[in-house]
Amino acid sequence: MGVTADYIGPLWGRVNAATRYMVLHRAAVLGYGTTFYARRPMAPSCLTPGSIMSTSSSAYSAFATLLAEAALPISPAELHGHLLGRVCAGSGFDQDEWLQAAGELLGGEPGERLGAALGGLLGMVQQDFSAGEMAVVLMLPNDDAPLAERAAALGQWCQGFLAGFGLALRSPSLSDEADEVLQDIAAIAQVQGALEDSEDGEADYMEVQEYLRVAPLLLFSEFGKVPAPAEKPSLH
């Protein structure tokens, strides 16, 4: 159970191949597509009026600027992972609870702009889970960033996910499948700096992203609270 020696590459090999197959298969059974969205999360300027970041900036860079005001250092990847971990553990989509949890993570109540961006991020995650056909969109540096920077952010995302999931989980037990997924995510969190800046390294990085975009769906199907669809306006 968990990560085995069934290696597929220096980074991707940390993930159990049998678990990867199980997760992808389970996602298909649950009705989630395995053709991943190419889009990235919107930059906070799309979510908050008056943001200093332009709409063409990546969400990662925009949140990095906003998070600079936080008392405790945290990367956008870790923040987003924490949110997804909470949601997959069953915390639901209550904005006040998320802002309170984010405040504890950031070392204090977020300012107006950051608070609005955090609320917008939660709303976007809720919309994705409500859509039914989706894969998790990870908040990571743009693809033109150095591979080492992207791999480090990937590890931080995993650390945030595990922390958020652990803090929000109320179930006394895990299924074997959920336990294996969590072990795999924990293994990926430890591989920062293990990638070579090469075609093989890029391929391993993309494979791990593929896994992490689908693996949380299994956890959400077991523990998550499916958001209610938005009410359609009535016609008079």
Side-chain angles (χ1 to χ4, degrees):
M1 184 167 59
V3 180
T4 72
D6 188 6
Y7 293 111
I8 308 174
L11 179 61
W12 180 228
R14 300 291 187 102
V15 177
N16 185 340
T19 305
R20 175 177 181 265
Y21 173 82
M22 175 270 296
V23 167
L24 295 175
H25 175 73
R26 179 73 177 277
V29 170
L30 293 171
Y32 293 108
T34 55
T35 300
F36 305 117
Y37 288 178
R39 73 173 178 85
R40 292 180 178 273
M42 291 184 293
S45 56
C46 304
L47 307 174
T48 3
S51 170
I52 62 174
M53 304 302 291
S54 69
T55 56
S56 62
S57 300
S58 72
Y60 189 90
S61 297
F63 265 97
T65 300
L66 291 173
L67 289 171
E69 69 184 53
L72 298 177
I74 184 172
S75 72
E78 184 178 352
L79 174 72
H80 184 256
H82 192 94
L83 170 58
L84 264 291
R86 284 176 46 82
V87 167
C88 289
S91 67
F93 299 92
D94 184 85
Q95 181 163 302
D96 289 338
E97 290 182 4
W98 160 234
L99 291 179
Q100 181 179 353
E104 295 173 357
L105 193 64
L106 301 172
E109 183 178 353
E112 182 178 355
R113 289 188 305 167
L114 179 54
L118 291 169
L121 186 62
L122 175 67
M124 191 165 54
V125 169
Q126 179 176 356
Q127 183 179 12
D128 278 347
F129 277 100
S130 300
E133 293 184 57
M134 51 80 69
V136 172
V137 180
L138 309 182
M139 186 181 289
L140 298 170
N142 287 332
D143 293 338
D144 57 358
L147 181 58
E149 179 183 340
R150 286 179 280 140
L154 197 69
Q156 292 161 6
W157 189 94
C158 292
Q159 292 169 1
F161 184 93
L162 293 171
F165 188 90
L167 289 171
L169 185 65
R170 295 294 179 265
S171 174
S173 62
L174 298 171
S175 67
D176 289 345
E177 291 86 355
D179 184 59
E180 289 199 12
V181 168
L182 291 170
Q183 289 188 50
D184 287 342
I185 294 176
I188 296 171
Q190 303 302 316
V191 297
Q192 300 180 44
L195 284 177
E196 296 181 2
D197 193 0
S198 63
E199 290 186 6
D200 288 343
E202 287 285 353
D204 290 332
Y205 174 80
M206 295 305 295
E207 291 253 355
V208 172
Q209 272 202 87
E210 177 183 322
Y211 176 80
L212 291 177
R213 287 174 176 174
V214 177
L217 300 180
L218 186 146
L219 298 172
F220 183 79
S221 72
E222 187 169 330
F223 305 106
K225 296 179 181 178
V226 178
E231 294 185 4
K232 296 181 179 180
S234 58
L235 298 178
H236 298 282

